[in-house]
Amino acid sequence: MEKTVTSKQMLGELLEKHYKTAIDAKAEGKLVAWATSICPQELLETMGIDVVYPENHAAAIGARKDAMRFIQQAEGKGYSNDICSYARVNMGYVDLKFSEAENIPMPDLIFCCSNICNTAIKWYENLAKVLNIPIIMFDMPFNHTFDVPEHSIKYMAGQIKHAIKQLEEITGREFDYDRFKEVMEISADTARWWKKATDLNKNHPSPLNGFDMFNYMAIIVCNRGKIEGRDLFKLWHDELAAKVEAGIGPWKDQEEKYRIMWDGIACWPHLGDTYKVLKKHGVNMVTSTYPESWTVIYDTGDIEGMAKAYASNYANRNLDYGTKNVARLVKEFDLDGILYHSNRSCKLMDFRQYEVQRRVEAMTGIPSVVFDGDQTDPRVFTLSQYETRVQALIEMMEKNKELRRNG
């Protein structure tokens, strides 16, 4: 009898394979790259270069509560505690090179795209300088206009073409444009299945608790250009669709009472605490601004379309776009409230967060609260503050429900 593999089992197997393959490649003398989380990975996949993602790795170290010794190592060398904690964990790892949580090989190439934040530029430039290795940098201008301007698309497309030449020089091999088209098709398909799966949370009840989405995010970062990544998200979608059909909600022992959006990255060192407080009150995180960040979809062979897709990342869009996007999520996912994570590491998102909150509340009327935390630095989060803010959100959401019940 054929054994049935669940998407959760497949997720674990793919992550284990991802790290092992990179370590084996390094041991065999093959080129290994470190890349930012939303970069044109299609180029590296086409060239057969093994890639690991320091942000993913730092999140794994944070979730397994091993971040502090890397953070202290980086801060001991003079890196400020105001710098992104992913960067501090990674710079500490460059020195210590071992974590009980997970390990990655040292890179031979740095591959950076600034569409996630400007910190990434200096972080990755610093890595290239410290390790004395080449860097390929994609300068992605911030979109100060609502739509991505044509000149940005052409600027980015030119950089993609230039990066292909740089990769040919670094590897000594010709770029295979037929393989490139295959990888583009797989990558766009993977993004479509990721979007279809996470969109199933629009149903009542949602078939998924949103914290599981955080776990699956690891694979959309590192396996977007691989067939097994696409297969994982198709399987995950089918499992969730079956739950929707059967009317099964996010938990076996509890009903979904409130539906919220979580804004910002997870507090990885406090993932269990933040999840349990919400679940205790029947609060389900059904969406976030993150699913669309990896919905990088374009037509196969269309480099300008690919450039536009990478330039369209939520973090790279202006305040008006950010506000309208969150208001759209409120409507499409039928939200009762929003929980804003004021992530000390993420200055780009936090500096505009209170204004987004004010505008979205004015547009939609749904309540929200902000709590202080950090994606990897455990010192910034306080459980009592988090519980108090969640309790306040629940009281406001319940009052709104009562008003609706009373007409």
Side-chain angles (χ1 to χ4, degrees), residues 79-99:
Y79 293 105
S80 167
N81 64 4
D82 282 325
I83 297 173
C84 165
S85 59
Y86 279 176
R88 280 178 284 145
V89 168
N90 182 241
M91 293 307 299
Y93 187 83
V94 166
D95 289 344
L96 301 180
K97 296 184 176 61
F98 180 79
S99 170

Side-chain angles (χ1 to χ4, degrees), residues 16-129:
E16 185 180 344
K17 181 182 175 185
H18 167 68
Y19 287 112
K20 185 178 184 305
T21 302
I23 288 172
D24 289 348
K26 185 73 178 183
E28 293 166 11
K30 296 178 182 173
L31 197 70
V32 172
W34 281 9
T36 50
S37 56
I38 313 177
C39 67
Q41 50 77 34
E42 292 87 340
L43 308 187
L44 299 169
E45 187 70 31
T46 299
M47 296 298 282
I49 296 172
D50 285 278
V51 191
V52 288
Y53 297 83
E55 293 152 74
N56 249 14
H57 183 231
I61 288 176
R64 292 166 195 170
K65 304 187 186 305
D66 196 26
M68 273 313 298
R69 63 194 188 92
F70 298 103
I71 287 173
Q72 287 171 339
Q73 174 70 19
E75 291 177 359
K77 294 184 73 174
Y79 293 105
S80 167
N81 64 4
D82 282 325
I83 297 173
C84 165
S85 59
Y86 279 176
R88 280 178 284 145
V89 168
N90 182 241
M91 293 307 299
Y93 187 83
V94 166
D95 289 344
L96 301 180
K97 296 184 176 61
F98 180 79
S99 170
E100 292 289 346
E102 195 63 76
N103 288 293
I104 56 175
M106 287 297 107
D108 305 292
L109 168 67
I110 298 296
F111 199 76
C112 177
C113 184
S114 66
N115 59 350
I116 53 171
C117 68
N118 286 336
T119 298
I121 298 173
K122 292 303 168 191
W123 169 11
Y124 279 70
E125 281 181 347
N126 194 48
L127 284 171
K129 184 175 181 181

Side-chain angles (χ1 to χ4, degrees), residues 201-221:
N201 273 7
K202 292 175 182 175
N203 289 281
H204 287 264
S206 160
L208 173 75
N209 86 70
F211 280 70
D212 274 348
M213 183 187 72
F214 283 147
N215 294 328
Y216 282 83
M217 226 163 65
I219 289 295
I220 194 67
V221 172

Side-chain angles (χ1 to χ4, degrees), residues 288-397:
S288 157
T289 49
Y290 271 86
E292 291 201 356
S293 291
W294 283 277
T295 307
V296 183
I297 296 174
Y298 50 83
D299 293 331
T300 299
D302 180 6
I303 289 184
E304 289 202 358
M306 180 179 165
K308 183 178 181 181
Y310 278 102
S312 300
N313 175 36
Y314 173 76
N316 205 44
R317 308 296 288 270
N318 73 358
L319 183 61
D320 287 342
Y321 178 88
T323 304
K324 190 173 180 181
N325 186 52
V326 174
R328 177 182 61 78
L329 293 174
V330 169
K331 185 177 180 182
E332 290 184 359
F333 286 81
D334 194 21
L335 301 181
D336 299 304
I338 300 176
L339 187 56
Y340 289 94
H341 172 201
S342 182
N343 178 4
R344 184 181 172 87
S345 280
C346 198
K347 310 295 187 293
L348 170 68
M349 301 299 288
D350 293 349
F351 284 165
R352 68 183 190 183
Q353 196 169 53
Y354 281 96
E355 180 60 12
V356 170
Q357 180 193 26
R358 188 187 68 79
R359 291 190 187 189
V360 169
E361 188 165 342
M363 291 170 72
T364 66
I366 70 158
S368 58
V369 292
V370 181
F371 74 94
D372 298 306
D374 190 90
Q375 57 204 28
T376 332
D377 190 335
R379 298 170 296 185
V380 183
F381 176 83
T382 305
L383 183 58
S384 56
Q385 188 214 53
Y386 177 76
E387 288 179 317
T388 305
R389 301 292 164 83
V390 169
Q391 186 61 47
L393 180 62
I394 290 168
E395 288 174 10
M396 290 188 285
M397 291 191 296

Side-chain angles (χ1 to χ4, degrees), residues 114-371:
S114 66
N115 59 350
I116 53 171
C117 68
N118 286 336
T119 298
I121 298 173
K122 292 303 168 191
W123 169 11
Y124 279 70
E125 281 181 347
N126 194 48
L127 284 171
K129 184 175 181 181
V130 168
L131 298 171
N132 192 28
I133 56 177
I135 179 170
I136 294 177
M137 175 68 72
F138 296 92
D139 172 30
M140 178 71 72
F142 185 84
N143 296 298
H144 294 280
T145 52
F146 189 90
D147 295 314
V148 179
E150 196 61 30
H151 60 78
S152 283
I153 296 169
K154 292 189 181 303
Y155 178 53
M156 186 63 188
Q159 291 181 72
I160 291 172
K161 292 170 186 172
H162 180 59
I164 290 172
K165 292 178 182 173
Q166 288 177 289
L167 286 171
E168 287 179 329
E169 290 171 6
I170 291 168
T171 61
R173 291 184 274 119
E174 285 190 11
F175 193 77
D176 183 338
Y177 284 89
D178 290 333
R179 172 64 182 149
F180 185 37
K181 287 181 179 176
E182 289 175 8
V183 174
M184 292 173 97
E185 188 169 348
I186 293 168
S187 299
D189 268 355
T190 305
R192 287 188 190 96
W193 282 111
W194 159 260
K195 179 76 165 55
K196 283 181 181 179
T198 54
D199 270 358
L200 287 173
N201 273 7
K202 292 175 182 175
N203 289 281
H204 287 264
S206 160
L208 173 75
N209 86 70
F211 280 70
D212 274 348
M213 183 187 72
F214 283 147
N215 294 328
Y216 282 83
M217 226 163 65
I219 289 295
I220 194 67
V221 172
C222 66
N223 268 21
R224 192 155 39 86
K226 297 182 186 298
I227 289 174
E228 52 264 46
R230 181 194 63 192
D231 293 346
L232 169 69
F233 291 117
K234 183 177 184 309
L235 176 60
W236 188 38
H237 167 272
D238 293 348
E239 289 173 351
L240 293 174
K243 287 183 71 177
V244 170
E245 184 69 24
I248 298 173
W251 305 298
K252 291 178 181 175
D253 57 347
Q254 200 167 345
E255 288 186 4
E256 177 184 84
K257 290 178 67 179
Y258 307 100
R259 299 163 62 85
I260 67 163
M261 182 189 110
W262 175 295
D263 183 60
I265 303 173
C267 294
W268 297 112
H270 302 284
L271 201 61
D273 287 335
T274 49
Y275 168 66
K276 287 173 188 171
V277 169
L278 294 178
K279 187 191 172 193
K280 182 172 72 175
H281 297 286
V283 179
N284 188 23
M285 187 265 277
V286 297
T287 191
S288 157
T289 49
Y290 271 86
E292 291 201 356
S293 291
W294 283 277
T295 307
V296 183
I297 296 174
Y298 50 83
D299 293 331
T300 299
D302 180 6
I303 289 184
E304 289 202 358
M306 180 179 165
K308 183 178 181 181
Y310 278 102
S312 300
N313 175 36
Y314 173 76
N316 205 44
R317 308 296 288 270
N318 73 358
L319 183 61
D320 287 342
Y321 178 88
T323 304
K324 190 173 180 181
N325 186 52
V326 174
R328 177 182 61 78
L329 293 174
V330 169
K331 185 177 180 182
E332 290 184 359
F333 286 81
D334 194 21
L335 301 181
D336 299 304
I338 300 176
L339 187 56
Y340 289 94
H341 172 201
S342 182
N343 178 4
R344 184 181 172 87
S345 280
C346 198
K347 310 295 187 293
L348 170 68
M349 301 299 288
D350 293 349
F351 284 165
R352 68 183 190 183
Q353 196 169 53
Y354 281 96
E355 180 60 12
V356 170
Q357 180 193 26
R358 188 187 68 79
R359 291 190 187 189
V360 169
E361 188 165 342
M363 291 170 72
T364 66
I366 70 158
S368 58
V369 292
V370 181
F371 74 94

